[in-house]
Every structure is written in structure tokens, then in C-alpha cells.
Amino acid sequence: MKKHILSLSIFTLILGCSVDAQQQINLLEMGDLPLEVEESSGLAVAGEQSLWTHNDHGNKNEIYEISLRGELIRTVKLTNILTEDMEDMAQDDEGIIYIGDTGNNKMERFKLQILKIDPRMIHDNKVRPEVIEFLLPDNALQSDCHYDIEAITWDNGNIVMFTKDRCGKLDNHMVIYSVPDQPGHYTAVKLGEFYWEDHERSIVITAADISPDGKKLVLLSNDALHFFFAYKKQEYFNGSYRYIPLENSKKEALVHMDDCDIYITEESREYKKAKLWKLNLCSIGFD
């Protein structure tokens, strides 16, 4: 299981992401997702041969266990909870799942929440999540660009969150926040901001995960995987960066199954079913 350390320092970096010399990588199609999960927006590891996922805004309070081919194994109802827009999953080194109910498409939410679920507490395909409730600091909801969060990951007792840039290449950066992974009421801590140097592209982050060995942070956008590694003191953006171009589509979730295999889900679109994809980093010589 994953175990990582986070240094809560403030950072503002500029990192180039020119991709002129990089070739698009083709993902391995694993299968169609079931109709119950046409808007898969988060992923976590359920077992050696299965994953957890959920839908985003406007769907049922449920999580779904799917096979590595995308087949539905079971549906688990979340009880005694109201959700608005579940956007991403994270997982700690004990296998506890965290769901970021942090989507804020219309900038109408002041309180956000993260649902904490112990899979061992699932009985009769039902589970009651614990709740981590929080506000964003520094009048963040007054921002024109950074009021929405679609990407979270777990790191040594904290949920780390990355904002979805609503201003595109006019702004081209993200804000990073964290809250403790324990139930309660908090004001999120602003860890810093990250600026993309490529002003020709709109880089909008939809999911995040850290590799099981704790050495790589990966962020997902619709057309790329963004890897940060070889960082010092676990400050993600002070090390190296690699960009892997992908075909542009509505990719919303990813998770490391192990240090080689990353699974990615893609929402359905008109005339196209929702998909489960895999990328084997070891096969493409990632270092």
C-alpha cells in the first residue's frame, strides 16, 4: 500500500511543458464501463483484480467495484450522506478510500467535503462514510479561476487537492490545498501555486495520484499525463517533470495499480461508450 510524506511548505514554481519532441502515447483499451458508471470521475484500488470508481455531479450516492476489464462487480450505497459533486478518489496506506465531494461548477458551494470510507465496513453493499468538511481560505471562492477542485491524493495524513483552472490558458496555473485525513471541520491550508509555462495550451487537471513507491506524482488532464518525480523532501514541484501526450478525450480519473500500471477512465460521449484504459509505464521506458 502507499505511504508518502508531505512537506507543507509554500512554493510557487514555473515549469516548462513544451512537447514538440514528444510523441502521443496510445493507451491499452481494457473494456467498456457499465452503464451505471458512464461518468466515472474517480478511481481507487479495490483488490488485485478490481477497482473502485464513482460518478460525478448529478448521480447516485454510490460507489462501484469494477474488474480490470471494466465489468461491474458490485454496487455499494453510501448511506446517511448528501453529496453534490464527487470528483476524485484517493487512498491511504491502509486501503482507506477518500472521495472528494469538491466539485463546484457554478461557484455556488462554500462548504466542501471529503468522504472517508473503510471498505472493511461495507456490509450488505452499504457503508456510512465519515465526513471531512472544510472551507477554502483567503477568499478563494472569489477567484474567477480556482474555486473548483477535481483532483485529490493522499499523503502522510493529509488530503492534497489541486484546483481545476477555469480560466484556461489565460491563467494556466493551479492552486494546491490540503486538509487532514481525519473527520472534522477545517479551513484548508494553501500549500502554494504552480504555473505552467506553456501558454499555447489550456491545462486543466482532472485527477491526481502518487505511485505506490512514493516517488512520482501524476496529474491527469484530458490530453496528457503530467509526472513530477525526483523531488527533494517530497515537495512535488522542485524536481523533474515529464509530460506524456494522450489522445484528447474526457479523461476524469486515474490510479496506480502498481509502480508500472496506471488505469484511467474516460466518460461517455455521444456515440462513444465510457472506457477503462491502461498504461504500462515500464513498457515505455519511463524513468
Side-chain angles (χ1 to χ4, degrees), residues 21 27 36 40 62 68-69 79 81 89 105 114 122 158 192 201 209 216-218 239:
L27 300 174
E36 290 86 346
S40 171
E62 296 174 341
L68 299 186
R69 291 290 181 180
T79 64
I81 191 72
M89 276 183 165
N105 294 339
I114 293 167
I122 296 173
N158 292 281
R201 300 174 58 247
D209 196 35
K216 296 189 294 293
L217 166 70
V218 57

Side-chain angles (χ1 to χ4, degrees), residues 62-183:
E62 296 174 341
I63 60 175
Y64 307 89
E65 186 176 3
I66 59 172
S67 75
L68 299 186
R69 291 290 181 180
E71 301 133 329
L72 182 65
I73 296 173
R74 60 172 167 164
T75 298
V76 176
K77 295 185 180 298
L78 308 182
T79 64
N80 296 86
I81 191 72
L82 294 176
T83 64
E84 176 67 25
D85 190 357
M86 298 188 292
E87 286 291 354
D88 199 13
M89 276 183 165
Q91 195 165 29
D92 66 20
D93 57 3
E94 300 296 328
I96 305 299
I97 298 168
Y98 303 86
I99 302 177
D101 181 13
T102 53
N104 196 9
N105 294 339
K106 297 181 180 179
M107 203 168 26
E108 294 177 344
R109 303 179 67 186
F110 293 94
K111 292 182 180 179
L112 305 175
Q113 63 182 359
I114 293 167
L115 312 183
K116 183 175 183 178
I117 299 170
D118 185 343
R120 295 168 296 187
M121 300 304 292
I122 296 173
H123 301 292
D124 298 323
N125 289 328
K126 296 178 181 179
V127 67
R128 181 174 181 171
E130 297 181 284
V131 179
I132 303 164
E133 188 177 79
F134 66 96
L135 304 173
L136 295 180
D138 302 327
N139 298 317
L141 292 180
Q142 296 180 16
S143 167
D144 291 333
C145 306
H146 299 286
Y147 51 86
D148 194 10
I149 296 171
E150 290 198 7
I152 69 171
T153 191
W154 180 88
D155 203 330
N156 194 40
N158 292 281
I159 307 300
V160 184
M161 302 173 286
F162 306 84
T163 60
K164 180 178 183 179
D165 186 352
R166 287 285 182 177
C167 295
K169 59 187 179 182
L170 298 176
D171 179 72
N172 237 6
H173 85 287
M174 60 186 171
V175 182
I176 302 96
Y177 296 104
S178 78
V179 293
D181 67 2
Q182 296 303 309

Side-chain angles (χ1 to χ4, degrees), residues 8-40:
L8 297 181
S9 59
I10 303 299
F11 46 82
T12 301
L13 300 181
I14 296 178
L15 186 63
C17 55
S18 175
V19 298
D20 293 342
Q22 298 204 47
Q23 184 177 358
Q24 177 180 299
I25 296 294
N26 293 320
L27 300 174
L28 176 63
E29 182 177 334
M30 301 303 293
D32 296 336
L33 293 178
L35 294 177
E36 290 86 346
V37 206
E38 287 191 313
E39 296 184 332
S40 171

Side-chain angles (χ1 to χ4, degrees), residues 3-7 154-156 210 214 231 233-236:
K3 188 173 184 179
H4 321 294
I5 299 172
L6 173 65
S7 175
W154 180 88
D155 203 330
N156 194 40
I210 294 176
Y231 38 75
K233 298 180 181 180
Q234 279 65 52
E235 295 180 356
Y236 310 120

